Amino acid sequence: MRLSIPDMALVVLVGVSGSGKSTFARRHFAATQVLSSDYFRGLVSDDENDQSATEPAFDALHYVAAKRLQAGRVTVIDATNVQRFSRQPLLNLAKQHNVLPVAIVLDMPEGLCVERNATRADRDFGAHVIRRQRNELRKSLHSLEKEGFRRVYVLRTPEEADEAEIVVEPLLNDKRQETGPFDVIGDVHGCRAELEELLVELGYVLERDEEGRPVNAAHPEGRRAVFVGDLVDRGPDTPGVLRLVMGMVEAGHAFCVCGNHEQKLVRALRGRKVRISHGLAESLDQLGAESEDFRKRAERFCGDLIAHYVLDGGKLVVSHAGLPEHYHGRASGAVRSFALYGDSTGETDEYGLPVRYPWANDYRGRTMVLYGHTPTPTAEWVNGTMCLDTGCVFGGKLTALRYPEREVVSVPAHQVWYEPVKPLIAAPELPPVGRRDPDVLDLGDVTGRRIVETQHHGRISVRADQAAAALEVMSRFAVDPRWLLYLPPTMSPTEASALPDVLEHPREAFAGYLADGVRTVVCEEKHMGSRAVVLVCRDSGLARFGIDGSGAVYTRTGRSFFGPALTEELLVRVRAGIGGLWDELNTDWLLLDAELMPWSAKAGGLIAHQYAPVGAAATMALDASIDVLSKADARGIDVAELLGRTRSRSANAAGYREAYRRYCWPTDGLQGVTLAPFQILAAEGQSFADRPHSWHLEIADRLVANDPGLFTPTRRLIVDTSDDESVAKGIAWWEELTANGGEGMVVKPMANLVRGPKGLVQPGVKVRGREYLRIIYGPDYTEPRHLDRLRRRFLGRKRSLAGREYALGIEALDRVARGDALWRVHECVFAVLAMESEPVDPRL
């Protein structure tokens, strides 16, 4: 016997003691799928036959079953389950988690069960117990389906049990193997002419029958349409729409989910008592003029439609009225009801229509949900969901979304075909896609342990303690979080050099990239300033991202560089310097990655309270020591070695002071402040993470040309890592930079976003100069004993952190470009900030 089990099902084994349930379960299911009442008795009492432990054992069993069903796992309950009161909690679990319950009954002969129990030392009850259990089983056999089991299988002999074959079948809504591309089309409501126009606009080629009626449509590139339901009622040609859509579905060119109007039409066609309203009369009249065969075909088609589809590996869900995340891929009456009708608050509006619960406002799933049902003048993204019903039958538009391109395509209605009860009026002007009201940000989106899905690094975990640290920084020190579209990643230094006098050298950087398969790199001058992210808006009076203002200038941890007045003054200069780029990039905001100088503009306190005191104290102490030791040496005391060492330390201290002083100069307001942009991160609807660095630097050069007083150029050199002569030029350039007091350089793959054999290649490595590193490692780090120790520094954790933060940053930019809800962007931004709490040597 073939026993078909729907995926995610709750399988309840029913049978008296000794009927072979446990043996059957072991043979046909994985050990992890089977929850045995005996086993749980043992868990709570150390004795599987301790009947006094039955209640807590079943409490634990039901809890574990609930967790498995919540995760969508097939779960098998191995217990007698012969009494209705023991089955009811299991049916409740299935209902609660919207999975299908299946009963497998082992109705074995009574004598066989008695005989089996007699051979088991742990079963000391008599035959009367088996008889009582079997009587209860017999009473239940005819009521299992009425109780709620969707499938019931009865095995009556050991041979049937042995020969049974369990087959787990995917649910009808599981179309995860269908990856698209798709064109998802909103409510048609009998508007056949507009549907034809939209399909042609989308690139489909219509096929017509002998009478010229469209009966199919195919896309030359293999795209397929997905209809969100409500094909029928209200419009002028319900049969024409059905004829076309049925042909597309039957030919494999389209999918279609059920709408509430199809549900009602089927009931009417089957003679059920329904209220003839909301356009049903028009459909019945139009279908009345068709043949009986066509009506039967239409009835079967609409009656067989399912409530929702899960497509493209779970990345896309299509239903008629939308679907919260916990219903995706599930099967139950509750799921179907929500998919067809949505969820009403129980109230009615001034037009007598039910007030729909705005489920999309609270949606936080990663799956895109496309739906219709409630007419809206314009298709807008709300938290990764979009309603595609733009009221064509009411004189609006017929709308489709190209997936995965996320492109909205619409055609206007030819006329008002059906006067709506509630006027379809133009909505108030909304901010552009991706800009939401302030209340879209929610504490629950960034607290606790989180998993962030990224395109380039897969799943990245954020621990609860890391999230708490990020929230502390964000809530106390950061700019308004609505401005925070991106935080830059940390950067790892190159591997330690084997050369005797330096810790870092370009040779290791070039060799490392060559090992990753990167031949062309760009060496960029490393400015000694502070990393700055500049979000500048073209016009200061327009609300963006749910906030008014000109933008923000903030650090790697989201802190503002300056107060409001100075920030605004800087943004005015940046906005003017962008010049023609606004129109060229077709944007009204721009996100820049830059270095803000001098270092003292942001690190003044650090210099005054840490670096300067150390340098001053070292100089004073060592100068005094040299004076004393020199006098002792002049008197003939043997202090030559100590004096030499002290003079060396004094020179080191002088080098330390000179190193940080190079990067400090006085500023007055913006006087003396410069900005060195080196990457254009994003603009309206665009992310530039995949553009080569040459493109970014050319844009930066144009900004410098527009305002050389504010913008500072970034010098660079392109190196072929496989060419010795080119590598030598790169090394010479670095030596020249550092000899003149420069900090060093950053080496980056020219192509920018690069994947190697082990995943994402490091976005950049820093190669710092010998003297600059005194600021980082202390004045005496160049002493041989210290250099030998520092060469053993471990970079693995730092590089792992840089890779994860880089992937999170790109993911944030991609989500901004797609117009995702702001909370989706902040999920990545907060994760970058959370990563910064990892215990990594800050000197790296």
Side-chain angles (χ1 to χ4, degrees):
M1 181 184 294
R2 180 185 174 96
L3 280 57
S4 297
I5 307 297
D7 197 7
M8 291 194 285
L10 176 64
V11 180
V12 178
L13 300 182
V14 182
V16 304
S17 179
S19 60
K21 298 182 302 301
S22 298
T23 302
F24 182 87
R26 282 194 300 270
R27 179 179 296 134
H28 296 289
F29 297 98
T32 52
Q33 294 177 312
V34 181
L35 306 182
S36 164
S37 59
D38 288 345
Y39 177 75
F40 276 87
R41 282 193 194 91
L43 283 181
V44 301
S45 70
D46 294 328
D47 182 357
E48 292 189 355
N49 296 298
D50 183 359
Q51 297 302 311
S52 66
T54 295
E55 184 174 345
F58 273 95
D59 282 345
L61 185 151
H62 291 162
Y63 178 82
V64 175
K67 291 300 181 182
R68 287 188 57 83
L69 295 176
Q70 186 178 12
R73 306 294 183 188
V74 170
T75 303
V76 181
I77 307 300
D78 176 13
T80 56
N81 296 315
V82 294
Q83 296 168 314
R84 181 166 186 162
F85 74 82
S86 64
R87 297 188 295 268
Q88 191 58 53
L90 300 175
L91 288 166
N92 292 342
L93 272 178
K95 183 177 181 180
Q96 177 185 348
H97 295 283
N98 301 289
V99 299
L100 298 178
V102 175
I104 299 179
V105 182
L106 280 77
D107 184 18
M108 298 295 150
E110 181 180 331
L112 175 64
C113 298
V114 172
E115 180 183 338
R116 287 175 174 175
N117 280 301
T119 63
R120 295 179 57 177
D122 58 346
R123 301 292 171 93
D124 56 358
F125 47 79
H128 67 283
V129 174
I130 303 299
R131 189 174 302 112
R132 185 182 69 245
Q133 291 179 350
R134 197 158 189 275
N135 287 337
E136 291 169 337
L137 172 61
R138 288 291 182 172
K139 294 176 185 177
S140 301
L141 278 179
H142 301 295
S143 64
L144 291 174
E145 291 185 356
K146 293 180 181 178
E147 290 176 23
F149 287 99
R150 297 294 291 270
R151 299 181 189 179
V152 178
Y153 299 104
V154 182
L155 306 174
R156 302 187 185 277
T157 66
E159 291 74 22
E160 287 184 357
D162 291 341
E163 295 170 5
E165 178 188 3
I166 300 291
V167 179
V168 178
E169 297 179 342
L171 295 173
L172 294 176
N173 57 40
D174 186 355
K175 299 291 183 184
R176 287 174 293 180
Q177 76 279 6
E178 303 289 352
T179 57
F182 302 114
D183 299 300
V184 186
I185 299 175
D187 300 36
V188 182
H189 279 302
C191 298
R192 190 259 314 150
E194 289 88 342
L195 176 57
E196 287 186 43
E197 287 184 15
L198 181 60
L199 289 170
V200 170
E201 181 70 20
L202 291 167
Y204 289 78
V205 178
L206 295 172
E207 177 186 334
R208 301 181 184 274
D209 62 12
E210 299 82 359
E211 300 178 39
R213 300 174 300 188
V215 294
N216 191 10
H219 199 285
E221 297 176 5
R223 301 181 70 91
R224 283 177 289 178
V226 186
F227 293 91
V228 304
D230 277 7
L231 306 171
V232 305
D233 293 352
R234 294 177 173 153
D237 193 359
T238 284
V241 171
L242 286 172
R243 185 176 289 106
L244 174 55
V245 175
M246 287 190 299
M248 293 179 69
V249 172
E250 290 165 1
H253 299 149
F255 298 99
C256 183
V257 298
C258 189
N260 59 301
H261 282 263
E262 281 81 31
Q263 176 97 332
K264 192 173 182 181
L265 176 62
V266 168
R267 294 176 63 207
L269 291 174
R270 291 176 178 172
R272 302 283 184 86
K273 185 177 180 181
V274 296
R275 184 180 177 188
I276 307 299
S277 60
H278 302 297
L280 178 58
E282 287 79 357
S283 289
L284 293 175
D285 287 344
Q286 294 163 16
L287 287 168
E290 299 290 329
S291 68
E292 179 67 20
D293 285 345
F294 182 84
R295 286 196 296 274
K296 288 294 184 183
R297 181 185 170 207
E299 177 193 326
R300 285 193 303 271
F301 174 78
C302 294
D304 290 342
L305 293 176
I306 65 171
H308 77 284
Y309 280 126
V310 180
L311 300 157
D312 193 17
K315 298 175 185 176
L316 173 65
V317 162
V318 178
S319 73
H320 178 59
L323 209 62
E325 186 177 25
H326 62 277
Y327 283 161
H328 294 179
R330 306 281 170 150
S332 72
V335 173
R336 184 173 179 85
S337 176
F338 196 106
L340 265 61
Y341 303 101
D343 190 12
S344 172
T345 65
E347 305 168 296
T348 56
D349 60 19
E350 66 269 30
Y351 301 99
L353 300 174
V355 176
R356 302 293 179 188
Y357 180 76
W359 65 274
N361 292 348
D362 299 322
Y363 183 72
R364 291 296 186 266
R366 293 176 174 84
T367 297
M368 182 190 299
V369 181
L370 301 178
Y371 62 103
H373 188 54
T374 304
T376 178
T378 307
E380 292 284 345
W381 288 108
V382 179
N383 292 331
T385 78
M386 179 178 279
C387 177
L388 296 172
D389 182 1
T390 47
C392 181
V393 77
F394 301 130
K397 298 174 289 186
L398 185 59
T399 296
L401 180 82
R402 285 189 170 119
Y403 175 92
E405 298 88 345
R406 299 168 66 97
E407 178 187 352
V408 175
V409 179
S410 299
V411 296
H414 291 184
Q415 65 179 69
V416 177
W417 298 106
Y418 192 91
E419 199 65 43
V421 175
K422 184 177 182 178
L424 188 70
I425 58 175
E429 185 176 349
L430 297 173
V433 170
R435 301 171 183 171
R436 301 287 178 235
D437 292 332
D439 60 5
V440 299
L441 302 182
D442 187 270
L443 185 64
D445 294 333
V446 294
T447 53
R449 183 177 184 276
R450 306 196 62 77
I451 301 291
V452 183
E453 296 277 358
T454 65
Q455 179 182 356
H456 299 289
H457 203 287
R459 294 159 63 89
I460 296 178
S461 299
V462 179
R463 301 192 310 270
D465 61 308
Q466 293 175 317
L471 190 62
E472 170 77 5
V473 172
M474 194 67 68
S475 60
R476 294 185 61 190
F477 307 113
V479 299
D480 189 308
R482 290 169 290 183
W483 290 123
L484 292 175
L485 305 183
Y486 173 83
L487 286 178
T490 188
M491 184 181 296
S492 172
T494 185
E495 294 287 348
S497 173
L499 296 175
D501 297 328
V502 294
L503 180 61
E504 296 176 8
H505 193 270
R507 191 178 304 279
E508 282 72 26
F510 298 145
Y513 275 122
L514 182 60
D516 284 332
V518 179
R519 289 190 52 175
T520 306
V521 297
V522 58
C523 304
E524 296 180 9
E525 171 190 12
K526 197 169 190 310
H527 301 281
M528 184 47 192
S530 302
R531 188 76 171 266
V533 178
V534 180
L535 175 57
V536 58
C537 300
R538 187 171 188 172
D539 302 301
S540 60
L542 179 64
R544 296 170 181 83
F545 318 110
I547 185 172
D548 284 320
S550 299
V553 183
Y554 54 86
T555 69
R556 280 196 65 238
T557 54
R559 294 168 167 86
S560 180
F561 270 93
F562 306 113
L566 201 56
T567 297
E568 182 61 30
E569 185 180 345
L570 177 59
L571 290 172
V572 168
R573 290 277 302 274
V574 173
R575 184 183 303 119
I578 290 172
L581 274 175
W582 292 118
D583 293 327
E584 186 176 325
L585 297 177
N586 190 28
T587 185
D588 64 355
W589 60 265
L590 209 58
L591 191 64
L592 306 175
D593 204 353
E595 196 84 2
L596 190 145
M597 295 162 287
W599 183 39
S600 52
K602 187 61 181 174
L606 182 68
I607 294 168
H609 298 106
Q610 179 173 321
Y611 291 101
V614 170
T619 300
M620 292 180 64
L622 291 170
D623 285 352
S625 297
I626 290 172
D627 184 56
V628 171
L629 290 170
S630 297
K631 291 177 181 177
D633 183 61
R635 291 165 53 193
I637 300 174
D638 185 12
V639 294
E641 182 181 351
L642 178 59
L643 177 58
R645 191 162 65 246
T646 304
R647 283 173 174 163
S648 175
R649 294 187 64 198
S650 178
N652 291 343
Y656 173 80
R657 299 184 76 182
E658 182 64 24
Y660 70 73
R661 283 174 172 172
R662 287 193 184 102
Y663 310 113
C664 308
W665 58 80
T667 59
D668 181 15
L670 286 185
Q671 187 69 35
V673 173
T674 61
L675 203 62
F678 52 84
Q679 192 156 354
I680 315 302
L681 296 166
E684 182 75 48
Q686 306 168 81
S687 170
F688 304 116
D690 59 349
R691 300 284 182 97
H693 281 292
S694 55
W695 180 86
H696 292 275
L697 291 169
E698 287 168 7
I699 297 290
D701 288 345
R702 291 168 59 181
L703 299 181
V704 173
N706 289 344
D707 188 347
L710 173 65
F711 294 110
T712 295
T714 296
R715 291 179 289 172
R716 64 268 194 182
L717 179 72
I718 297 174
V719 170
D720 181 346
T721 60
S722 66
D723 181 79
D724 292 342
E725 183 178 347
S726 183
V727 167
K729 289 181 180 179
I731 293 172
W733 191 66
W734 175 81
E735 290 173 342
E736 178 186 346
L737 286 175
T738 56
N740 294 331
E743 179 182 343
M745 68 185 185
V746 177
V747 183
K748 304 176 181 178
M750 175 59 82
N752 204 348
L753 179 62
V754 176
R755 296 194 67 86
K758 299 179 181 178
L760 275 180
V761 170
Q762 290 287 308
V765 294
K766 51 192 176 185
V767 188
R768 297 165 291 186
R770 183 176 187 271
E771 291 305 310
Y772 168 77
L773 283 173
R774 292 190 193 279
I775 303 174
I776 306 302
Y777 287 108
D780 295 331
Y781 95 97
T782 52
E783 298 297 319
R785 67 183 188 280
H786 294 315
L787 270 179
D788 289 343
R789 173 177 51 83
L790 291 172
R791 286 194 178 98
R792 296 191 296 271
R793 62 187 183 174
F794 177 65
L795 299 182
R797 180 174 290 182
K798 179 75 170 183
R799 293 200 164 186
S800 170
L801 183 63
R804 283 176 284 155
E805 291 185 1
Y806 178 49
L808 286 165
I810 294 175
E811 184 68 25
L813 296 175
D814 287 344
R815 293 181 182 187
V816 170
R818 288 198 306 260
D820 282 9
L822 200 54
W823 70 267
R824 291 263 296 154
V825 177
H826 280 200
E827 182 180 47
C828 303
V829 174
F830 267 68
V832 172
L833 192 56
M835 295 285 120
E836 286 297 299
S837 64
E838 283 201 17
V840 176
D841 186 347
R843 300 173 298 176
L844 293 177

